[in-house]
């Protein structure tokens, strides 16, 4: 680790505000909180926003006393919770962690150092590990997972940059989200410029935020694994919504800024039509197999408007029509 002190011109370490929305994660939140409080970077505040939990999450957070700033609200979703955290944050830098995920040691120090050494960069993120349960359905302790990953990590004190996932990312973000919220750190003044998370998006608020950010700053990914992303069957990410939010985010960006990035890089219309067709096909595919043929049918029709010669979209369109008619037919007497 770089041994130079991390301070501002006044000689004080800049404050990092960590924003953690929480909803019914009593099983996991202690590991999440401990991974923040255990960071070797001293100047930090942890703001937990309870989004109407009913499972004991609140009591667990309260047990940390003054180590955690606790905000509560009725259940309104993670975007509203994060916005409440942003309004309360006092830090020079803003970071995010979900209440069922975990940071690895050194996360804050590395990112603060990088932003201090690169004043022209407004946002950075890092690599993450997809953390799955074992055959028994239980997760290995975060500390043991972190130790195993650390053994395989690069010994370099200062991580490099993942070039293909760094830079002026607008055009690349039109095709995939790239960033993971739990690895992001941003300057406070950048957050003030970009604004709040879009609470109208029940999913994809983070994707929308990265695209908006990519219009005003270069974003870089540190080549260091700094977070564990827990995959379990209780999170909303495992359930497909009835609105295609990914499509809404991409179409919203195109309507606002078009195909040209801030540096003049242009995305072709052909590539975008393919991307929109793929989003619609994926949305329809999942809803077809989850038993919503009418919703799937609408999505396959949209997919074909963008990619009229895509065989799989035509095949699933016909299958959805048959399945929808079968579901609507009264049972034989």
């Amino acid at each position: 680790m770089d041994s130079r002190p991390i301070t501002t011109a006044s000689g004080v370490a800049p404050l990092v505000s960590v924003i953690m929305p929480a909803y019914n994660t009593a099983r996991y939140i202690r590991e999440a909180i401990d991974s923040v409080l255990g960071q070797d970077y001293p100047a930090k505040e942890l703001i937990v926003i309870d989004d109407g939990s009913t499972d004991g999450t609140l009591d667990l957070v309260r047990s940390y006393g003054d180590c955690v700033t606790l905000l509560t609200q009725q259940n309104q979703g993670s975007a509203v919770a994060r916005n409440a955290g942003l309004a309360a944050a006092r830090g020079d830098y803003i970071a995010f962690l979900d209440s069922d995920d975990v940071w690895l040691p050194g996360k804050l120090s590395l990112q603060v150092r990088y932003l201090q050494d690169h004043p022209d960069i407004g946002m950075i993120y890092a690599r993450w590990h997809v953390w799955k349960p074992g055959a028994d359905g239980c997760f290995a302790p975060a500390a043991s997972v972190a130790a195993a990953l650390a053994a395989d990590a690069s010994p370099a004190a200062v991580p490099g940059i993942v070039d293909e996932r760094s830079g002026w990312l607008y055009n690349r973000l039109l095709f995939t989200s790239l960033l993971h919220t739990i690895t992001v750190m941003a300057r406070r003044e950048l957050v003030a410029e970009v604004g709040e998370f879009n609470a109208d998006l029940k999913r994809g608020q983070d994707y929308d935020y990265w695209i908006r950010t990519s219009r005003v700053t270069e974003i870089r990914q540190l080549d260091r694994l700094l977070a564990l992303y827990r995959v379990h069957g209780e999170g909303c990410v495992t359930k497909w919504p009835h609105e295609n939010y990914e499509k809404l985010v991409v179409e919203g960006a195109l309507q606002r800024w078009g195909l040209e990035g801030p540096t003049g890089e242009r995305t072709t219309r052909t590539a975008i039509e393919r991307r929109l067709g793929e989003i619609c096909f994926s949305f329809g595919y999942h809803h077809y197999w989850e038993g919503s043929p009418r919703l799937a049918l609408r999505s396959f029709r949209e997919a074909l408007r963008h990619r009229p010669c895509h065989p799989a979209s035509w095949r699933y369109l016909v299958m959805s029509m048959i399945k929808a008619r079968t579901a609507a037919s009264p049972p034989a007497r």
Side-chain angles (χ1 to χ4, degrees), residues 96-135:
F96 304 95
L97 180 62
D98 291 339
S99 58
D100 50 358
D101 299 324
V102 166
W103 280 348
L104 299 186
K107 194 261 188 192
L108 291 183
S109 294
L110 282 170
Q111 292 191 308
V112 171
R113 167 66 67 202
Y114 192 88
L115 288 174
Q116 285 206 317
D117 288 347
H118 300 83
D120 55 324
I121 304 301
M123 177 179 284
I124 55 172
Y125 65 116
R127 294 193 288 109
W128 62 93
H129 174 74
V130 178
W131 184 17
K132 297 181 179 179

Side-chain angles (χ1 to χ4, degrees), residues 22-216:
Y23 176 68
N24 285 350
T25 50
R27 291 179 61 188
Y28 309 120
I29 194 170
R30 189 174 293 282
E31 282 186 309
I33 291 175
D34 289 347
S35 76
V36 175
L37 299 182
Q39 292 286 309
D40 62 1
Y41 187 79
K44 56 185 178 288
E45 62 171 359
L46 173 57
I47 304 170
V48 176
I49 310 93
D50 184 80
D51 190 35
S53 294
T54 58
D55 70 338
T57 296
L58 265 173
D59 291 335
L60 277 170
V61 178
R62 287 184 176 126
S63 71
Y64 284 86
D66 294 339
C67 294
V68 175
T69 298
L70 174 62
L71 308 178
T72 60
Q73 63 181 38
Q74 293 182 337
N75 183 243
Q76 299 175 75
S78 59
V80 175
R82 289 194 182 106
N83 289 340
L86 289 176
R90 300 175 293 121
D92 304 280
Y93 301 114
I94 307 294
F96 304 95
L97 180 62
D98 291 339
S99 58
D100 50 358
D101 299 324
V102 166
W103 280 348
L104 299 186
K107 194 261 188 192
L108 291 183
S109 294
L110 282 170
Q111 292 191 308
V112 171
R113 167 66 67 202
Y114 192 88
L115 288 174
Q116 285 206 317
D117 288 347
H118 300 83
D120 55 324
I121 304 301
M123 177 179 284
I124 55 172
Y125 65 116
R127 294 193 288 109
W128 62 93
H129 174 74
V130 178
W131 184 17
K132 297 181 179 179
D136 60 356
C138 298
F139 289 88
S144 65
V145 176
L149 293 170
D152 296 330
S154 166
V158 180
I161 294 299
V162 183
D163 289 333
E164 63 271 21
R165 299 171 69 92
S166 302
W168 288 93
L169 294 181
Y170 174 75
N171 298 82
R172 276 170 277 181
L173 284 170
L174 291 175
F175 294 90
T176 184
S177 181
L178 284 178
L179 290 73
H180 200 307
T181 309
I182 66 173
T183 72
V184 167
M185 181 179 285
R187 299 183 189 276
R188 183 183 185 88
E189 55 268 29
L190 173 68
V191 171
E193 181 176 359
V194 175
E196 295 186 332
F197 288 86
N198 184 350
D200 291 333
L201 296 170
K202 303 306 178 186
R203 293 272 290 273
Q205 321 98 329
D206 49 355
Y207 185 19
D208 170 73
Y209 204 88
W210 315 144
I211 291 178
R212 288 155 52 198
T213 300
S214 73
R215 298 299 305 187
V216 298

